[in-house]
Structure formats: C-alpha cells, structure tokens
mmCIF file of all heavy atoms in Angstrom:
data_model
loop_
_atom_site.group_PDB
_atom_site.id
_atom_site.type_symbol
_atom_site.label_atom_id
_atom_site.label_comp_id
_atom_site.label_asym_id
_atom_site.label_seq_id
_atom_site.Cartn_x
_atom_site.Cartn_y
_atom_site.Cartn_z
ATOM 1 N N GLU U 1 78.463 -102.687 32.862
ATOM 2 C CA GLU U 1 78.187 -101.289 32.540
ATOM 3 C C GLU U 1 78.235 -101.069 31.042
ATOM 4 O O GLU U 1 79.203 -101.451 30.378
ATOM 5 C CB GLU U 1 79.252 -100.411 33.213
ATOM 6 C CG GLU U 1 79.012 -98.932 33.043
ATOM 7 C CD GLU U 1 77.898 -98.438 33.917
ATOM 8 O OE1 GLU U 1 76.739 -98.519 33.463
ATOM 9 O OE2 GLU U 1 78.164 -97.995 35.026
ATOM 10 N N PRO U 2 77.208 -100.492 30.446
ATOM 11 C CA PRO U 2 77.250 -100.218 29.012
ATOM 12 C C PRO U 2 78.361 -99.234 28.680
ATOM 13 O O PRO U 2 78.678 -98.353 29.473
ATOM 14 C CB PRO U 2 75.871 -99.595 28.738
ATOM 15 C CG PRO U 2 75.024 -99.978 29.908
ATOM 16 C CD PRO U 2 75.944 -100.091 31.060
ATOM 17 N N THR U 3 78.971 -99.403 27.506
ATOM 18 C CA THR U 3 80.004 -98.461 27.099
ATOM 19 C C THR U 3 79.398 -97.113 26.746
ATOM 20 O O THR U 3 80.039 -96.089 26.873
ATOM 21 C CB THR U 3 80.764 -99.021 25.877
ATOM 22 O OG1 THR U 3 79.824 -99.312 24.846
ATOM 23 C CG2 THR U 3 81.495 -100.306 26.240
ATOM 24 N N GLN U 4 78.157 -97.116 26.284
ATOM 25 C CA GLN U 4 77.459 -95.871 25.965
ATOM 26 C C GLN U 4 76.087 -95.895 26.609
ATOM 27 O O GLN U 4 75.238 -96.708 26.262
ATOM 28 C CB GLN U 4 77.339 -95.707 24.452
ATOM 29 C CG GLN U 4 76.678 -94.393 24.059
ATOM 30 C CD GLN U 4 76.634 -94.222 22.551
ATOM 31 O OE1 GLN U 4 77.149 -95.052 21.807
ATOM 32 N NE2 GLN U 4 76.013 -93.157 22.099
ATOM 33 N N LEU U 5 75.878 -94.999 27.562
ATOM 34 C CA LEU U 5 74.607 -94.963 28.279
ATOM 35 C C LEU U 5 73.537 -94.297 27.422
ATOM 36 O O LEU U 5 73.838 -93.457 26.579
ATOM 37 C CB LEU U 5 74.780 -94.201 29.597
ATOM 38 C CG LEU U 5 75.689 -94.875 30.630
ATOM 39 C CD1 LEU U 5 75.982 -93.920 31.781
ATOM 40 C CD2 LEU U 5 75.069 -96.155 31.162
ATOM 41 N N PRO U 6 72.269 -94.653 27.643
ATOM 42 C CA PRO U 6 71.180 -94.031 26.880
ATOM 43 C C PRO U 6 71.074 -92.539 27.177
ATOM 44 O O PRO U 6 71.599 -92.043 28.180
ATOM 45 C CB PRO U 6 69.932 -94.776 27.381
ATOM 46 C CG PRO U 6 70.434 -96.010 28.033
ATOM 47 C CD PRO U 6 71.791 -95.680 28.566
ATOM 48 N N LYS U 7 70.393 -91.833 26.318
ATOM 49 C CA LYS U 7 70.138 -90.413 26.553
ATOM 50 C C LYS U 7 69.415 -90.230 27.886
ATOM 51 O O LYS U 7 68.510 -90.988 28.218
ATOM 52 C CB LYS U 7 69.270 -89.833 25.439
ATOM 53 C CG LYS U 7 69.997 -89.590 24.135
ATOM 54 C CD LYS U 7 69.075 -88.918 23.131
ATOM 55 C CE LYS U 7 69.780 -88.605 21.834
ATOM 56 N NZ LYS U 7 68.882 -87.960 20.852
ATOM 57 N N GLY U 8 69.823 -89.206 28.639
ATOM 58 C CA GLY U 8 69.170 -88.927 29.908
ATOM 59 C C GLY U 8 69.757 -89.682 31.077
ATOM 60 O O GLY U 8 69.292 -89.535 32.213
ATOM 61 N N ILE U 9 70.776 -90.507 30.847
ATOM 62 C CA ILE U 9 71.434 -91.269 31.911
ATOM 63 C C ILE U 9 72.908 -90.898 31.920
ATOM 64 O O ILE U 9 73.609 -91.086 30.920
ATOM 65 C CB ILE U 9 71.292 -92.794 31.702
ATOM 66 C CG1 ILE U 9 69.828 -93.207 31.596
ATOM 67 C CG2 ILE U 9 71.994 -93.568 32.814
ATOM 68 C CD1 ILE U 9 69.032 -93.071 32.870
ATOM 69 N N ASP U 10 73.394 -90.356 33.035
ATOM 70 C CA ASP U 10 74.822 -90.061 33.130
ATOM 71 C C ASP U 10 75.441 -90.885 34.256
ATOM 72 O O ASP U 10 74.758 -91.304 35.203
ATOM 73 C CB ASP U 10 75.077 -88.568 33.344
ATOM 74 C CG ASP U 10 74.688 -88.092 34.733
ATOM 75 O OD1 ASP U 10 75.466 -88.320 35.680
ATOM 76 O OD2 ASP U 10 73.610 -87.486 34.877
ATOM 77 N N ARG U 11 76.726 -91.141 34.161
ATOM 78 C CA ARG U 11 77.397 -92.069 35.073
ATOM 79 C C ARG U 11 77.409 -91.578 36.515
ATOM 80 O O ARG U 11 77.265 -92.370 37.457
ATOM 81 C CB ARG U 11 78.829 -92.341 34.593
ATOM 82 C CG ARG U 11 78.872 -93.035 33.253
ATOM 83 C CD ARG U 11 80.292 -93.421 32.846
ATOM 84 N NE ARG U 11 80.281 -93.896 31.471
ATOM 85 C CZ ARG U 11 79.921 -95.123 31.102
ATOM 86 N NH1 ARG U 11 79.551 -95.972 32.033
ATOM 87 N NH2 ARG U 11 79.931 -95.475 29.844
ATOM 88 N N PHE U 12 77.566 -90.285 36.717
ATOM 89 C CA PHE U 12 77.649 -89.765 38.076
ATOM 90 C C PHE U 12 76.319 -89.960 38.812
ATOM 91 O O PHE U 12 76.286 -90.464 39.943
ATOM 92 C CB PHE U 12 78.021 -88.277 38.051
ATOM 93 C CG PHE U 12 78.041 -87.651 39.430
ATOM 94 C CD1 PHE U 12 79.113 -87.849 40.283
ATOM 95 C CD2 PHE U 12 76.968 -86.881 39.866
ATOM 96 C CE1 PHE U 12 79.119 -87.285 41.557
ATOM 97 C CE2 PHE U 12 76.971 -86.322 41.129
ATOM 98 C CZ PHE U 12 78.049 -86.520 41.977
ATOM 99 N N THR U 13 75.229 -89.556 38.171
ATOM 100 C CA THR U 13 73.916 -89.713 38.798
ATOM 101 C C THR U 13 73.566 -91.187 38.955
ATOM 102 O O THR U 13 72.979 -91.592 39.974
ATOM 103 C CB THR U 13 72.827 -89.011 37.977
ATOM 104 O OG1 THR U 13 73.214 -87.651 37.750
ATOM 105 C CG2 THR U 13 71.481 -89.038 38.689
ATOM 106 N N LEU U 14 73.937 -92.007 37.996
ATOM 107 C CA LEU U 14 73.681 -93.444 38.087
ATOM 108 C C LEU U 14 74.407 -94.034 39.289
ATOM 109 O O LEU U 14 73.843 -94.857 40.028
ATOM 110 C CB LEU U 14 74.127 -94.132 36.796
ATOM 111 C CG LEU U 14 73.881 -95.633 36.690
ATOM 112 C CD1 LEU U 14 72.405 -95.960 36.839
ATOM 113 C CD2 LEU U 14 74.423 -96.168 35.366
ATOM 114 N N LYS U 15 75.648 -93.619 39.505
ATOM 115 C CA LYS U 15 76.418 -94.093 40.657
ATOM 116 C C LYS U 15 75.732 -93.682 41.961
ATOM 117 O O LYS U 15 75.623 -94.472 42.917
ATOM 118 C CB LYS U 15 77.841 -93.534 40.597
ATOM 119 C CG LYS U 15 78.759 -93.966 41.737
ATOM 120 C CD LYS U 15 80.172 -93.467 41.472
ATOM 121 C CE LYS U 15 81.131 -93.937 42.559
ATOM 122 N NZ LYS U 15 80.898 -93.268 43.851
ATOM 123 N N THR U 16 75.237 -92.440 42.006
ATOM 124 C CA THR U 16 74.534 -91.954 43.194
ATOM 125 C C THR U 16 73.280 -92.775 43.464
ATOM 126 O O THR U 16 72.993 -93.148 44.619
ATOM 127 C CB THR U 16 74.147 -90.472 43.009
ATOM 128 O OG1 THR U 16 75.329 -89.695 42.804
ATOM 129 C CG2 THR U 16 73.403 -89.950 44.237
ATOM 130 N N MET U 17 72.533 -93.071 42.416
ATOM 131 C CA MET U 17 71.308 -93.861 42.572
ATOM 132 C C MET U 17 71.615 -95.267 43.076
ATOM 133 O O MET U 17 70.920 -95.805 43.938
ATOM 134 C CB MET U 17 70.562 -93.939 41.231
ATOM 135 C CG MET U 17 69.936 -92.641 40.801
ATOM 136 S SD MET U 17 68.630 -92.120 41.944
ATOM 137 C CE MET U 17 68.194 -90.547 41.217
ATOM 138 N N ARG U 18 72.666 -95.867 42.545
ATOM 139 C CA ARG U 18 73.053 -97.208 42.989
ATOM 140 C C ARG U 18 73.401 -97.206 44.472
ATOM 141 O O ARG U 18 72.972 -98.074 45.238
ATOM 142 C CB ARG U 18 74.241 -97.704 42.167
ATOM 143 C CG ARG U 18 73.880 -98.143 40.759
ATOM 144 C CD ARG U 18 75.118 -98.412 39.936
ATOM 145 N NE ARG U 18 74.790 -99.006 38.643
ATOM 146 C CZ ARG U 18 75.553 -98.903 37.562
ATOM 147 N NH1 ARG U 18 76.667 -98.191 37.604
ATOM 148 N NH2 ARG U 18 75.183 -99.476 36.436
ATOM 149 N N GLU U 19 74.195 -96.225 44.864
ATOM 150 C CA GLU U 19 74.603 -96.151 46.273
ATOM 151 C C GLU U 19 73.411 -95.905 47.183
ATOM 152 O O GLU U 19 73.330 -96.459 48.288
ATOM 153 C CB GLU U 19 75.657 -95.051 46.447
ATOM 154 C CG GLU U 19 76.987 -95.366 45.758
ATOM 155 C CD GLU U 19 77.948 -94.197 45.769
ATOM 156 O OE1 GLU U 19 77.498 -93.066 46.123
ATOM 157 O OE2 GLU U 19 79.134 -94.383 45.433
ATOM 158 N N THR U 20 72.468 -95.079 46.714
ATOM 159 C CA THR U 20 71.275 -94.787 47.510
ATOM 160 C C THR U 20 70.433 -96.036 47.716
ATOM 161 O O THR U 20 70.014 -96.355 48.838
ATOM 162 C CB THR U 20 70.425 -93.700 46.816
ATOM 163 O OG1 THR U 20 71.208 -92.511 46.667
ATOM 164 C CG2 THR U 20 69.176 -93.381 47.628
ATOM 165 N N ILE U 21 70.175 -96.773 46.642
ATOM 166 C CA ILE U 21 69.370 -97.991 46.740
ATOM 167 C C ILE U 21 70.045 -99.008 47.661
ATOM 168 O O ILE U 21 69.395 -99.637 48.512
ATOM 169 C CB ILE U 21 69.155 -98.609 45.340
ATOM 170 C CG1 ILE U 21 68.187 -97.754 44.526
ATOM 171 C CG2 ILE U 21 68.621 -100.029 45.440
ATOM 172 C CD1 ILE U 21 66.752 -97.838 44.986
ATOM 173 N N LYS U 22 71.348 -99.191 47.500
ATOM 174 C CA LYS U 22 72.071 -100.162 48.332
ATOM 175 C C LYS U 22 72.026 -99.779 49.802
ATOM 176 O O LYS U 22 71.938 -100.638 50.683
ATOM 177 C CB LYS U 22 73.515 -100.274 47.854
ATOM 178 C CG LYS U 22 73.674 -101.012 46.533
ATOM 179 C CD LYS U 22 75.142 -101.089 46.126
ATOM 180 C CE LYS U 22 75.322 -101.862 44.833
ATOM 181 N NZ LYS U 22 76.740 -101.940 44.405
ATOM 182 N N SER U 23 72.087 -98.474 50.074
ATOM 183 C CA SER U 23 72.103 -98.022 51.468
ATOM 184 C C SER U 23 70.764 -98.216 52.164
ATOM 185 O O SER U 23 70.703 -98.390 53.382
ATOM 186 C CB SER U 23 72.509 -96.549 51.534
ATOM 187 O OG SER U 23 71.497 -95.711 50.986
ATOM 188 N N ILE U 24 69.679 -98.193 51.387
ATOM 189 C CA ILE U 24 68.343 -98.339 51.983
ATOM 190 C C ILE U 24 68.102 -99.779 52.421
ATOM 191 O O ILE U 24 67.585 -100.037 53.511
ATOM 192 C CB ILE U 24 67.261 -97.880 50.989
ATOM 193 C CG1 ILE U 24 67.417 -96.387 50.703
ATOM 194 C CG2 ILE U 24 65.864 -98.169 51.535
ATOM 195 C CD1 ILE U 24 66.524 -95.868 49.598
ATOM 196 N N GLY U 25 68.463 -100.725 51.573
ATOM 197 C CA GLY U 25 68.404 -102.124 51.960
ATOM 198 C C GLY U 25 67.024 -102.741 52.029
ATOM 199 O O GLY U 25 66.840 -103.813 52.607
ATOM 200 N N LYS U 26 66.023 -102.075 51.472
ATOM 201 C CA LYS U 26 64.664 -102.633 51.449
ATOM 202 C C LYS U 26 63.931 -102.053 50.250
ATOM 203 O O LYS U 26 64.364 -101.038 49.681
ATOM 204 C CB LYS U 26 63.913 -102.285 52.733
ATOM 205 C CG LYS U 26 63.683 -100.791 52.915
ATOM 206 C CD LYS U 26 62.882 -100.492 54.179
ATOM 207 C CE LYS U 26 62.613 -98.981 54.298
ATOM 208 N NZ LYS U 26 61.813 -98.662 55.511
ATOM 209 N N PRO U 27 62.824 -102.674 49.820
ATOM 210 C CA PRO U 27 62.067 -102.115 48.697
ATOM 211 C C PRO U 27 61.640 -100.682 48.977
ATOM 212 O O PRO U 27 61.164 -100.366 50.069
ATOM 213 C CB PRO U 27 60.862 -103.053 48.588
ATOM 214 C CG PRO U 27 61.338 -104.346 49.149
ATOM 215 C CD PRO U 27 62.261 -103.967 50.273
ATOM 216 N N VAL U 28 61.808 -99.810 47.994
ATOM 217 C CA VAL U 28 61.570 -98.391 48.205
ATOM 218 C C VAL U 28 60.968 -97.778 46.950
ATOM 219 O O VAL U 28 61.222 -98.236 45.830
ATOM 220 C CB VAL U 28 62.901 -97.691 48.587
ATOM 221 C CG1 VAL U 28 63.894 -97.784 47.441
ATOM 222 C CG2 VAL U 28 62.688 -96.251 49.000
ATOM 223 N N GLY U 29 60.164 -96.740 47.127
ATOM 224 C CA GLY U 29 59.541 -96.051 46.005
ATOM 225 C C GLY U 29 60.411 -94.935 45.463
ATOM 226 O O GLY U 29 61.390 -94.514 46.082
ATOM 227 N N ALA U 30 60.022 -94.417 44.311
ATOM 228 C CA ALA U 30 60.804 -93.369 43.650
ATOM 229 C C ALA U 30 60.844 -92.081 44.462
ATOM 230 O O ALA U 30 61.848 -91.367 44.453
ATOM 231 C CB ALA U 30 60.234 -93.101 42.257
ATOM 232 N N ASP U 31 59.768 -91.770 45.194
ATOM 233 C CA ASP U 31 59.738 -90.534 45.982
ATOM 234 C C ASP U 31 60.833 -90.536 47.051
ATOM 235 O O ASP U 31 61.539 -89.533 47.233
ATOM 236 C CB ASP U 31 58.368 -90.361 46.650
ATOM 237 C CG ASP U 31 57.309 -89.907 45.656
ATOM 238 O OD1 ASP U 31 57.679 -89.284 44.647
ATOM 239 O OD2 ASP U 31 56.116 -90.178 45.894
ATOM 240 N N GLU U 32 60.965 -91.653 47.754
ATOM 241 C CA GLU U 32 61.978 -91.729 48.814
ATOM 242 C C GLU U 32 63.382 -91.700 48.229
ATOM 243 O O GLU U 32 64.284 -91.045 48.779
ATOM 244 C CB GLU U 32 61.785 -92.998 49.646
ATOM 245 C CG GLU U 32 62.724 -93.069 50.852
ATOM 246 C CD GLU U 32 62.432 -94.255 51.753
ATOM 247 O OE1 GLU U 32 61.384 -94.910 51.568
ATOM 248 O OE2 GLU U 32 63.264 -94.534 52.638
ATOM 249 N N VAL U 33 63.585 -92.389 47.109
ATOM 250 C CA VAL U 33 64.896 -92.369 46.460
ATOM 251 C C VAL U 33 65.240 -90.953 46.016
ATOM 252 O O VAL U 33 66.362 -90.484 46.198
ATOM 253 C CB VAL U 33 64.919 -93.336 45.260
ATOM 254 C CG1 VAL U 33 66.224 -93.186 44.477
ATOM 255 C CG2 VAL U 33 64.757 -94.770 45.727
ATOM 256 N N ALA U 34 64.261 -90.245 45.447
ATOM 257 C CA ALA U 34 64.488 -88.875 44.991
ATOM 258 C C ALA U 34 64.903 -87.970 46.151
ATOM 259 O O ALA U 34 65.819 -87.161 46.026
ATOM 260 C CB ALA U 34 63.222 -88.334 44.325
ATOM 261 N N GLU U 35 64.225 -88.126 47.286
ATOM 262 C CA GLU U 35 64.535 -87.293 48.455
ATOM 263 C C GLU U 35 65.937 -87.569 48.976
ATOM 264 O O GLU U 35 66.698 -86.644 49.271
ATOM 265 C CB GLU U 35 63.506 -87.557 49.550
ATOM 266 C CG GLU U 35 63.700 -86.681 50.782
ATOM 267 C CD GLU U 35 62.622 -86.899 51.828
ATOM 268 O OE1 GLU U 35 61.668 -87.657 51.555
ATOM 269 O OE2 GLU U 35 62.746 -86.308 52.919
ATOM 270 N N LEU U 36 66.304 -88.843 49.062
ATOM 271 C CA LEU U 36 67.616 -89.205 49.590
ATOM 272 C C LEU U 36 68.748 -88.851 48.634
ATOM 273 O O LEU U 36 69.838 -88.474 49.059
ATOM 274 C CB LEU U 36 67.661 -90.704 49.915
ATOM 275 C CG LEU U 36 66.781 -91.158 51.080
ATOM 276 C CD1 LEU U 36 66.765 -92.675 51.165
ATOM 277 C CD2 LEU U 36 67.270 -90.564 52.393
ATOM 278 N N ALA U 37 68.466 -88.968 47.329
ATOM 279 C CA ALA U 37 69.507 -88.703 46.336
ATOM 280 C C ALA U 37 69.572 -87.233 45.934
ATOM 281 O O ALA U 37 70.505 -86.819 45.243
ATOM 282 C CB ALA U 37 69.273 -89.566 45.091
#
C-alpha cells in the first residue's frame, strides 16, 4: 500500500473496490463494479 495515495483515490473507497472485485471472482467490467460498489 502506498504511504500517500494519488489524488482522487481514498483508502475507504479503495478498500470497498478491492472487496467488491474479490467477491465477484471472475473478470468484470466497470459498470458491474460500479453497481455493486
């Protein structure tokens, strides 16, 4: 994990995105990730 995230990236949303991708378990597009997250 970077000590300083780039502009527009926050740790809470990043954690949510990671959990969402892991839960899907298959290749997925941005639209589906957006809906689930």
Side-chain angles (χ1 to χ4, degrees):
E1 184 75 273
T3 55
Q4 183 177 357
L5 294 170
K7 284 184 178 180
I9 304 292
D10 72 79
R11 296 185 188 280
F12 176 78
T13 307
L14 182 59
K15 181 174 183 290
T16 300
M17 289 295 177
R18 285 171 172 154
E19 293 172 349
T20 301
I21 288 288
K22 287 180 178 179
S23 69
I24 296 172
K26 64 178 183 179
V28 64
D31 284 334
E32 186 174 349
V33 173
E35 183 177 355
L36 292 172

